[in-house]
Amino acid sequence: MDETPWVDRLLAVHPALTEADREAIGDWRGTPLSADEEAGDDVPPPTVRLAGLGRAYAEHAPEFSERQAAELFSILEAVPADGDGYGWDAASTGFLEALMNEWDRGFDLARVWHLTGPRVREYCRAWNRFSGVESPAWMTEA
């Protein structure tokens, strides 16, 4: 998988992300990816792909160590806004919005909020404002 180094680093944080991505690529192609096969260029659009990773993280969050979750949010915090398709726009509208939707479905975002950086936090609060949702106190403090 060769889109950008940060996508590869994100996938390497936890096997659940890698597996979810391989399944999504297989679904996109209409044929499963073998264990040793690289995705190449035939992958879902960046926002769709990252939304799948956001949902996979929410589903498997209890399996992530504190260090793994911190690494995941550190990678997201540092995503460049370079317009390559896999930049901040895809990370925010894909991964973070999916995560916010999973919060609405029971994902405990408060449990990992302390691991997020200022850019991720501001986007999540902005998404709440856009959605007409009042951010809880734990989301607005420090």
Side-chain angles (χ1 to χ4, degrees):
M1 293 170 216
D2 54 23
E3 299 76 34
T4 61
W6 73 263
V7 174
D8 290 339
R9 288 194 326 271
L10 190 68
L11 293 171
V13 168
H14 193 278
L17 296 178
T18 305
E19 182 58 31
D21 192 56
R22 294 183 74 71
E23 287 178 18
I25 291 169
D27 290 346
W28 178 259
R29 290 179 167 185
T31 181
L33 227 57
S34 67
D36 59 347
E37 184 179 2
E38 289 293 320
D41 294 333
D42 193 9
V43 297
T47 303
V48 173
R49 188 174 183 195
L50 288 161
L53 294 176
R55 287 188 299 275
Y57 170 68
E59 179 182 344
H60 295 278
E63 301 167 22
F64 282 62
S65 69
E66 179 96 354
R67 183 195 58 76
Q68 289 169 319
E71 182 179 357
L72 179 142
F73 286 109
S74 176
I75 293 166
L76 290 171
E77 186 70 25
V79 170
D82 57 10
D84 68 352
Y86 277 94
W88 178 247
D89 289 343
S92 58
T93 60
F95 193 99
L96 294 178
E97 287 181 21
L99 201 60
M100 295 298 286
N101 288 331
E102 293 301 314
W103 175 41
D104 292 343
R105 293 180 183 95
F107 167 66
D108 188 6
L109 184 57
R111 187 180 73 79
V112 295
W113 189 250
H114 69 284
L115 302 174
T116 62
R119 189 179 190 200
V120 168
R121 288 179 180 201
E122 180 49 39
Y123 189 85
C124 292
R125 290 188 295 255
W127 179 251
N128 279 348
R129 287 189 301 274
F130 174 78
S131 302
V133 174
E134 185 175 342
S135 292
W138 56 262
M139 195 180 260
T140 59
E141 297 167 353

